[in-house]
């Protein structure tokens, strides 16, 4: 059927299209039908049905204003988002008015975050810039009442919105925040690094004096154009300004600061030695190692000396690090051990061997440093640990050496020649022993034995759980094929319900056996859960143990009308690791509306690791709804990792690479020794389940060896976190409670 332009049917069709565009994703609003206002004289507008309110009154700014005045937080959010989608000057003004201090929307961090995102395109306007500056300085802090978990997201989003403009007054607000310091200054600095200014003059303005905080930021920004502004400060101004300028120039690689640092080194002044040494280190000066050693020898500068030794390892620093180590705070001593290993050389190997024998509390750190230190001296030192005369009498030392040899083989491909034979000999140790567990892990991880072959059968009556734990962790080093081979064992173990009520009344009879926790690494290779029943996956996802994250990811990949309610609860739960894995699973969800679940989850997620997972999930979707969220994440998310993932997803480059299970860089090894605070609780460290969250966000279920040691290979570079299960009840070692 053909409609003529201007006909009643054509006008109605255009109105319907306009209504859809304005409403966005908001819930449909009923068309108001009320008598005409008095000022209208009772007349019905042309082309409108008698008694119907105009389209603007039903869907435009007035409706949004009514929503904003509602006592329902969800209604206020719809009002904010509606005004943002309209985007006219009138809508922006209405949104700013709704955020006046003391209003319901101003007291709601979620509404304020939605408003900041909506107002970001209008940041050049004076009134919008003022509001963004206020959010930058106040965030979700006490100035608006109780601190909100969204405070950091709100503050960072406002800072990015200001930085994106590149406009002088907006950049001035960010510079003022940097000068004032605190959380606002940190957010402003991150925003300017994300969106560097076109001209540094926009940052410096007409300042006659550049404050030290701003000088330091210019050094961190890495913009070589700052050198011209910083060099004159080396000679003028007070000493604090000179030091800040010299440090910043050194970070920028400008040797103009070198002469000043050498002059300060010849004429030391109180509080000047540490920045002088840092300048020498950044510029790679020949006298830097000697200066760092002197700093390590000073009582007040020892911790700073350790930081600089980590920044610039050198063999000449090993004696100074060894002397400083016992004088450092207890929590800094493992760092000093690692710094000795990174320095390398024969003296480093000797010092690390001495620490293993003389400082048992640092033995694991020293063994790990030897295992990852290149060179023949370190290889020989590792071999001596498990082959030397003391190893025959000291089982703990022998196991330490074997583990160090395996780590060396995995990380450097430089294992001692005798390691293979020693590992195979350890396989003959009694079942359930720590010695056999070490042999199983090493033999599987280095490809000497097949994981399934070593484990054999595992029935309730007969199961060497220690071997299962070690073999499963060893299989991580070999990739998806080795992990998938454990899937049948996991399916069998996960299907069992272990009755623990006799040992612990009220216990959860659906809790997995410890062997099932270890074999659960098979879910890394089978994101959809493989042969595990959906009901069992749901129980595992909700029980909160080490298997919960991977089970939640698999459950999301099986989304349907029955599962959807449980997924929503998990996505809104208190465990960010589980939330992240649900988001990853939704990326492969067969239900097309799962993209809406991801979009809603992103809106007010305060944990950056979860937002990264949401973006990864969205990167695997093809629905058009994903684009709006990815654009917001790319432009305004305070987390650099989220922005990078969103950029990659929008460019279409490397979408499969956004999936964290596979990584060419996953060659690291995490080595953890579980040491109870109370010696009487030593048994609690044995076969302790845990959840290791890798730097890429993926959670790996693991169980320690009987002596409380965890070796986890195939970990990408970065910071990992470990959550130990609560201690198992008596008679149930190795289970999650």
């Amino acid at each position: 059927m053909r409609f003529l332009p201007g006909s009643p049917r054509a006008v109605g069709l255009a109105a319907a299209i306009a209504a859809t565009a304005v409403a966005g994703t908001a819930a449909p609003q009923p068309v108001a039908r009320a008598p005409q206002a008095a000022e209208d004289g009772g007349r019905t507008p042309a082309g409108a049905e008698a008694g119907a309110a105009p389209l603007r009154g039903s869907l435009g700014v007035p409706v949004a204003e009514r929503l904003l005045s509602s006592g329902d937080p969800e209604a206020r959010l719809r009002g904010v988002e509606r005004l943002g989608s309209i985007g006219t000057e009138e809508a922006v003004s209405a949104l700013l008015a709704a955020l006046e201090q003391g209003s319901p929307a101003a007291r709601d961090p979620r509404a304020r975050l939605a408003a900041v995102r909506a107002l970001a395109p209008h940041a050049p306007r004076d009134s919008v810039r003022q509001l963004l500056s206020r959010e930058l300085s106040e965030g979700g802090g006490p100035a608006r009442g109780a601190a909100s978990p969204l405070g950091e997201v709100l503050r960072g989003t406002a800072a990015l919105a200001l930085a994106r403009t590149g406009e002088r007054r907006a950049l001035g607000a960010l510079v003022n925040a940097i000068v004032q310091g605190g959380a606002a200054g940190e957010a402003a600095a991150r925003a300017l690094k994300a969106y560097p200014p076109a001209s540094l003059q926009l940052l410096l303005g007409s300042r006659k004096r550049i404050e030290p905080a701003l000088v330091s930021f210019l050094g961190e920004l890495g913009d070589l154009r700052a050198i011209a502004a910083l060099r004159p400060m080396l000679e003028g101004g007070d000493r604090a300004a000179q030091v800040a300028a010299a440090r910043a120039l050194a970070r920028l690689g400008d040797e103009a600061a070198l002469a000043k640092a050498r002059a300060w080194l010849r004429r030391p002044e109180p509080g000047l030695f540490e920045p002088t040494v840092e300048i020498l280190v950044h510029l790679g000066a020949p006298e830097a190692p000697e200066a760092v050693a002197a700093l390590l020898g000073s009582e007040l500068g020892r911790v700073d000396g350790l930081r600089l030794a980590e920044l610039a390892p050198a063999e000449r620093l090993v004696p100074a690090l060894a002397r400083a180590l016992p004088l450092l705070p207890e929590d800094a001593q493992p760092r000093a051990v690692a710094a000795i290993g990174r320095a390398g050389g024969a003296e480093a190997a000797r010092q690390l061997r001495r620490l293993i024998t003389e400082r048992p509390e640092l033995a694991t750190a020293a063994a790990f440093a030897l295992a990852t230190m290149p060179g023949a001296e370190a290889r020989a030192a590792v071999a001596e640990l498990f082959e030397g005369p003391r190893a025959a009498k000291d089982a703990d030392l022998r196991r330490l050496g074997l583990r160090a040899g395996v780590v060396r083989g995995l990380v450097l491909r430089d294992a001692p020649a005798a390691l293979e034979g020693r590992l195979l000999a350890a396989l003959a140790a009694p079942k359930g022993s720590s010695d056999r567990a070490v042999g199983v892990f090493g033999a599987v991880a280095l490809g000497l034995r097949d994981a399934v072959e070593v484990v054999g059968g595992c029935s309730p009556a007969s199961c060497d759980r220690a071997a299962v734990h070690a073999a499963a962790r060893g299989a991580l080093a070999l990739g998806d094929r080795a992990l998938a081979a454990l899937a049948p064992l996991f399916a069998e173990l996960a299907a069992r319900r272990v009755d623990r009520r006799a040992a612990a009344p009220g216990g959860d009879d659906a809790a997995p056996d410890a062997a099932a926790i270890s074999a659960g690494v098979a879910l890394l290779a089978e994101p959809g859960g493989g042969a595990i029943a959906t009901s069992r996956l749901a129980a595992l996802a909700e029980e909160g143990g080490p298997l919960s994250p991977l089970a939640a990811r698999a459950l999301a990949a099986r989304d349907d009308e029955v599962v959807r309610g449980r997924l929503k609860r998990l996505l809104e739960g208190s465990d960010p690791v589980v939330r992240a894995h649900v988001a990853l699973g939704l990326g492969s969800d067969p239900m097309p509306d799962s993209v809406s679940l991801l979009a809603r989850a992103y809106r007010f997620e305060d944990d950056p690791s979860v937002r990264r997972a949401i973006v990864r999930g969205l990167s695997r979707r093809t629905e058009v709804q994903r684009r709006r969220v990815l654009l917001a994440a790319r432009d305004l998310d305070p987390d650099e990792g989220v922005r990078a993932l969103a950029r990659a997803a929008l460019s279409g480059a490397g979408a499969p690479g956004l999936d964290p299970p596979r990584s060419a860089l996953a060659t690291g090894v995490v080595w953890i020794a579980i040491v109870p605070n109370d010696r009487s609780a030593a048994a609690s460290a044995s076969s302790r389940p845990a959840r290791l969250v890798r730097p890429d966000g993926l959670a790996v279920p693991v169980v320690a060896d009987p002596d409380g040691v965890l070796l986890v290979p195939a970990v990408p570079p970065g910071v990992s976190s470990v959550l130990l299960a609560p201690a198992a009840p008596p008679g149930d070692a190795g289970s999650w409670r």
Side-chain angles (χ1 to χ4, degrees), residues 515-613:
I517 292 174
S518 286
V521 295
L523 290 175
L524 294 170
E526 297 191 345
I532 308 299
T534 300
S535 60
R536 188 60 178 138
L537 283 175
L540 291 172
E542 293 171 345
E543 64 103 28
L547 285 171
S548 291
L550 291 181
R553 183 179 72 158
L555 186 67
R558 299 183 183 184
D559 183 22
D560 57 22
E561 294 179 359
V562 176
V563 171
R564 176 60 64 89
R566 304 178 94 155
L567 289 178
K568 287 182 177 179
R569 288 192 295 272
L570 290 169
L571 200 54
E572 296 169 358
S574 59
D575 188 341
V577 179
V578 172
R579 296 202 302 271
H581 282 70
V582 173
L584 290 174
L586 289 174
S588 303
D589 186 348
M591 304 284 281
D593 63 339
S594 63
V595 69
S596 299
L597 280 182
L598 289 168
R600 283 195 294 272
Y602 176 84
R603 291 164 72 206
F604 306 118
E605 175 56 59
D606 59 274
D607 192 295
S609 65
V610 182
R611 297 201 303 276
R612 290 183 210 125

Side-chain angles (χ1 to χ4, degrees), residues 638-687:
D639 182 73
E640 182 180 0
V642 174
R643 295 196 302 273
L645 287 167
R647 282 195 300 270
L650 287 167
S651 70
L658 296 174
D659 190 14
R662 298 174 178 84
S663 173
L665 298 177
T667 58
V669 180
V670 172
W671 188 341
I672 300 168
I674 304 173
V675 180
N677 295 326
D678 187 349
R679 290 185 179 180
S680 64
S684 66
S686 177
S687 301

Side-chain angles (χ1 to χ4, degrees), residues 705-723:
D705 287 337
D707 57 356
V709 175
L710 269 170
L711 277 179
V712 185
V715 178
V719 178
S720 299
S721 64
V722 177
L723 177 66

Side-chain angles (χ1 to χ4, degrees), residues 287-339:
E287 56 267 56
E290 184 180 348
V292 173
L295 195 60
L296 284 165
S298 66
E299 183 176 356
L300 297 179
R302 195 166 286 125
V303 175
D304 284 319
L306 174 59
R307 174 177 60 85
L308 295 175
E310 292 171 323
L311 188 64
E315 287 188 36
R316 292 157 59 187
L317 287 175
V318 170
L321 284 165
R323 289 191 298 269
L325 190 148
L327 304 174
L328 286 164
E330 186 176 349
D331 60 347
Q333 291 183 12
R335 290 173 49 200
V337 173

